[in-house]
Amino acid sequence: MSGITDLTIAEIRDGLGRKQFSAVELAKGYLANMEKARALNAYVAETPEKALAMAAESDKRIAAGTARALEGVPLGIKDLFCTEGVHSQAASHILDGFKPVYESTVTANLWRDGAVMLGKLNMDEFAMGSSNETSYYGPVTNPWRSRNSNAPLVPGGSSGGSAAAVAARLCAGATATDTGGSIRQPAAFTGTVGIKPTYGRCSRWGIVAFASSLDQAGPIARDVRDAAILLKSMASVDPKDTTSVDVPVPDYEAALGQGVKGLRIGLPKEYRLDGMPAEIEKLWEQGKEWLKDAGAELVDISLPHTKYALPAYYIVAPAEASSNLARYDGVRYGLRVPGDDVIAMYENTRAAGFGKEVRRRILIGTYVLSAGYYDAYYIRAQKVRALIKRDFDLAFEAGIDAILTPATPSAAFGLAAMATASPIEMYLNDIFTVTVNMAGLPGIAVPAGLTGDGLPLGLQLIGRPFDEAMLFRAGEVIEQAAGRFPVSEKWWA
Amino acid sequence: MSVDKETVKRVARLARIAVTDEEAASLQGELNTILGFVEQLNEVDVTGIEPMIAVIAMQPRMREDAVNDGGKAADIVANAPVREGNFFVVPKVVE
C-alpha cells in the first residue's frame, strides 16, 4: 500500500502545495517509520523535536505562500556533516560527544531551502569502508534481502546509512559523501540513485575531512529527479572552501526529459574485467541497448590507466587522511585517554578512538609520506593520477558526452562475509567508481536491474566536469527503461 | 618494498597511535599486502608527467586581508574533553 512516506520529493512538493497533507504529518510519518526500523541501524541519532519544529515552520511558510524549494522535505544527514548542536561524529569513537557549534555549508543550504532534518545517518568510520561495517555504532543492515533468504546483507559504504534509509523510506532523501565510491556503491546496493558531483561543486566546509582532494558531497535519492532537486540546493560556491567553484548552479531538473538523442556515449573497454560476473556484464549490455534505443550513439573508447586508479587511490587517500586525522589528539574535542605524558596521551587516545580500518589507513598514509618514501609513493601516485585524468580529458575532447559503466562489480554481499578477507578484496568494491574521484569528475549510479536472487544492481554514468545535467538526462533514460526498484517487503517493520 | 615490525612501530609512533607487539605483527602483514598491491604503479611510465596538484584547474580566488570572524573562545573550547575557563588543559609539557 502506498503511503505518505512513499512519495518522492517531487510528489511531496506537489502534495504540500495542494495542501493534501501537512509538513508535520509527513515528518511524523517518517519518524514513525524510523522508530519501527531501528533494527536496520540506519540512524545514529534521531532528532524528532527538531524535525517537528522545522516542519511546523514549513507549514507556516506554505500557508503564507512563501514556500521554499525544499519546503517540508524530510531528510537524513550523514554523520560526516557538522550540524549545529547535533551529534556529528563521523561514526567514530574518537569524536564521542562532539556537538559542533556551527553548521556545514551543504546542510545550511538545505535548511535555507526549507528541508527538515530527521537525524544523523550511520556510515563507515570517517567514511573509510565499502560495507558500513567499520562504524563505531555497528553495521547498517540493507533493507534488501535475497529471494528465499533472511541472511542480512550490507548496504554498501561508506554512505550505507544514507542509502539504506532512502531505500527503506526512513527519509525522503539523504546527504552523502563520496571519496572513492561512497555515494554510488551504496546507491547501487540499495536500488537508489546517488550522484557524486564534480569536485568543487559542493562546499566541503563543515564536512569532516577524509581525503580533501577527493571528498565531495552529493545526494542519495529515490529517483533521478529527486537527486537533481537535492543537488541544486546542496551545490554552491563558498568563501569558506577555496576549492568550491564559482560556476552558476544550473536548474538540473530542467535538464530532465531532454533525452539522449544524438549524444555520444563512451564504453571504456578497460571496465570489462576478467572474471566479471555474467549478471554485471548483462546489465551493462542492457544499459547500452537502452541508450541506443533512445537515440544515443555508442562509441568504444579506451581509458588505458584505469587499472592503476585503485592502487594510486590507496596511496593518495590514506596520505591525505593521515594529515587530516592528525587533529584528533584528545585535546580539542571528543575522546581523551590519559597517559603518563602528553605523547602517551595522544597515542592512547588515538589507539582507543580510531577503529582498525582507520588506524590501518593512517599508518599507510604516514608511511608513504615519511622521509625517503614520499617520492617513490606519493609523488608517483600523483603522476599516475594526472595520467588517469588525461585519459578522460582525451575521451571528452574526442566528443564523448558521457561514459557508461557498471557501478559495482557485484550486488550487495552478506554482513561479515568479508570479515576474513584481505583489505584489498574490500577495496575492489570501488574499482568502477574510484577513477571518477581521481579525475574529479561527476558520476551517477542509477538502479538498472535485479540479480537472479532479486538484489538491485546499478549502472554508472560519468560526465564532463560540471556537466551533472548530462548525467541526470542520461540517467533518466536508464531509469525510464529499467523501471523503479522499491524494496518489496518491509520485513523489519 | 615491504615493512618489518620495527618499521610498523616507528610509523605508529610518527602517527601517534599506540600499538602492542601483537598489533604490530598483524599490521605488518596488512601493510605489506597493501604495499604489494600498490607496487604495480611502478609499471607506469611517468617520464615528463607533472604530479597532479589540483584536480580541477582554477585560479585561486583572492580575498581582502581582513578579520571577518573571531571572538569565540567559549565556542572553540566548548567540545574540549578537559578545559579550564577558555583554556584547553593538556598534560604538563614543560618541566
Side-chain angles (χ1 to χ4, degrees):
Chain A
M1 208 191 79
S2 179
I4 197 170
T5 55
D6 288 317
L7 302 175
T8 64
I9 292 174
E11 290 164 348
I12 289 172
R13 196 171 54 189
D14 293 349
L16 285 172
R18 296 204 192 109
K19 316 237 173 12
Q20 289 166 345
F21 50 85
S22 71
V24 167
E25 282 168 342
L26 184 64
K28 283 183 176 163
Y30 276 107
L31 292 169
N33 286 4
M34 288 157 65
E35 205 178 314
K36 279 185 268 176
R38 295 216 175 107
L40 297 179
N41 203 26
Y43 281 88
V44 293
E46 297 178 7
T47 55
E49 285 164 24
K50 211 171 178 81
L52 292 173
M54 290 172 103
E57 169 66 21
S58 287
D59 282 331
K60 269 193 221 159
R61 291 264 194 162
I62 294 162
T66 56
R68 298 158 289 180
L70 288 173
E71 200 66 68
V73 174
L75 300 179
I77 304 299
K78 189 177 182 180
D79 201 34
L80 205 63
F81 291 78
C82 286
T83 43
E84 194 177 347
V86 175
H87 189 291
S88 302
Q89 301 180 17
S92 178
H93 186 33
I94 208 158
L95 272 167
D96 262 5
F98 181 62
K99 289 196 169 64
V101 290
Y102 48 84
E103 186 78 26
S104 83
T105 298
V106 164
T107 50
N109 288 349
L110 292 168
W111 315 143
R112 172 207 65 204
D113 284 350
V116 167
M117 175 158 76
L118 294 169
K120 301 303 284 289
L121 292 161
N122 205 344
M123 55 180 281
D124 279 301
E125 184 183 5
F126 284 107
M128 296 181 191
S130 304
S131 64
N132 212 118
E133 292 171 291
T134 72
S135 168
Y136 177 64
Y137 299 94
V140 174
T141 303
N142 195 328
W144 287 83
R145 296 203 286 206
S146 291
R147 218 168 267 144
N148 308 322
S149 169
N150 290 339
L153 302 175
V154 303
S158 69
S159 308
S162 303
V166 171
R169 310 295 190 244
L170 312 182
C171 56
T175 67
T177 61
D178 190 316
T179 303
S182 284
I183 289 175
R184 291 158 288 157
Q185 186 253 19
F189 277 15
T190 55
T192 55
V193 175
I195 182 166
K196 181 204 92 76
T198 313
Y199 185 78
R201 181 68 288 178
C202 291
S203 168
R204 290 179 296 108
W205 195 82
I207 301 172
V208 175
F210 162 13
S212 303
S213 78
L214 300 159
D215 298 342
Q216 257 299 290
I220 292 181
R222 303 267 175 80
D223 65 11
V224 172
R225 180 176 297 273
D226 282 5
I229 294 170
L230 287 172
L231 183 60
K232 166 84 177 145
S233 285
M234 291 168 73
S236 64
V237 61
D238 180 6
K240 288 184 285 203
D241 173 6
T242 54
T243 64
S244 69
V245 174
D246 195 2
V247 173
V249 183
D251 179 1
Y252 297 119
E253 246 191 304
L256 298 176
Q258 290 180 19
V260 292
K261 202 168 168 53
L263 296 183
R264 288 162 62 85
I265 304 292
L267 308 166
K269 65 172 190 212
E270 290 79 6
Y271 283 63
R272 187 173 306 281
L273 303 177
D274 290 339
M276 186 153 87
E279 289 186 315
I280 302 289
E281 179 101 38
K282 207 176 115 200
L283 183 85
W284 196 10
E285 290 303 319
Q286 179 65 75
K288 294 173 195 173
E289 284 303 309
W290 287 329
L291 292 173
K292 199 172 145 203
D293 291 348
E297 183 192 344
L298 304 179
V299 184
D300 287 318
I301 61 167
S302 175
L303 302 168
H305 296 89
T306 297
K307 71 175 274 210
Y308 302 109
L310 205 55
Y313 175 86
Y314 274 96
I315 292 175
V316 173
E320 294 184 13
S322 76
S323 303
N324 276 327
L325 273 59
R327 73 191 67 180
Y328 305 104
D329 57 4
V331 174
R332 287 163 289 174
Y333 21 62
L335 184 75
R336 172 183 291 196
V337 179
D340 290 342
D341 56 18
V342 73
I343 301 230
M345 185 276 284
Y346 293 150
E347 291 186 339
N348 294 343
T349 299
R350 290 164 64 82
F354 292 132
K356 201 166 183 266
E357 180 64 26
V358 175
R359 274 179 286 160
R360 183 153 64 206
R361 294 202 199 188
I362 291 174
L363 292 191
I364 281 284
T366 306
Y367 178 73
V368 300
L369 291 177
S370 64
Y373 298 107
Y374 180 74
D375 286 341
Y377 285 111
Y378 188 71
I379 294 294
R380 174 167 279 269
Q382 289 289 46
K383 286 180 180 174
V384 172
R385 190 174 174 191
L387 290 169
I388 292 163
K389 182 173 188 308
R390 197 178 67 180
D391 287 350
F392 283 106
D393 289 346
L394 292 173
F396 290 129
E397 276 167 30
I400 296 299
D401 295 297
I403 295 168
L404 179 74
T405 78
T408 57
S410 74
F413 45 88
L415 211 64
M418 304 279 264
T420 56
S422 91
I424 305 295
E425 283 181 65
M426 188 63 103
Y427 299 169
L428 288 172
N429 265 289
D430 294 333
I431 194 146
F432 298 134
T433 49
V434 77
T435 50
V436 175
N437 301 77
M438 294 300 269
L441 300 171
I444 192 169
V446 179
L450 299 176
T451 65
D453 289 336
L455 295 177
L457 292 171
L459 286 168
Q460 173 178 240
L461 287 156
I462 304 167
R464 298 164 181 265
F466 302 103
D467 201 4
E468 286 81 5
M470 176 70 76
L471 301 185
F472 290 125
R473 262 173 87 174
E476 190 195 31
V477 168
I478 291 175
E479 181 177 67
Q480 284 175 349
R484 305 296 172 97
F485 299 92
V487 179
S488 51
E489 189 204 348
K490 292 185 173 135
W491 51 267
W492 60 87
Chain B
M1 277 178 266
S2 65
V3 294
D4 56 23
K5 203 166 130 186
E6 282 317 299
T7 307
V8 172
K9 287 181 160 179
R10 185 176 60 82
V11 172
R13 184 82 179 162
L14 288 172
R16 298 286 185 259
I17 296 176
V19 292
T20 62
D21 266 359
E22 209 175 293
E23 285 166 339
S26 94
L27 278 164
Q28 185 194 344
E30 291 164 18
L31 263 49
N32 281 331
T33 305
I34 297 168
L35 293 172
F37 175 65
V38 303
E39 197 103 301
Q40 52 183 306
L41 294 180
N42 293 328
E43 298 164 13
V44 185
D45 182 4
V46 292
T47 320
I49 303 297
E50 286 298 313
M52 182 179 280
I53 305 292
V55 70
I56 298 294
M58 54 168 192
Q59 277 303 105
R61 286 191 295 278
M62 303 296 280
R63 61 166 174 79
E64 212 180 317
D65 185 14
V67 176
N68 57 18
D69 202 357
K72 294 178 177 167
D75 279 358
I76 288 164
V77 298
N79 277 289
V82 189
R83 62 177 187 266
E84 263 180 47
N86 284 340
F87 293 94
F88 295 111
V89 177
V90 294
K92 197 169 174 182
V93 284
V94 182
E95 288 303 323

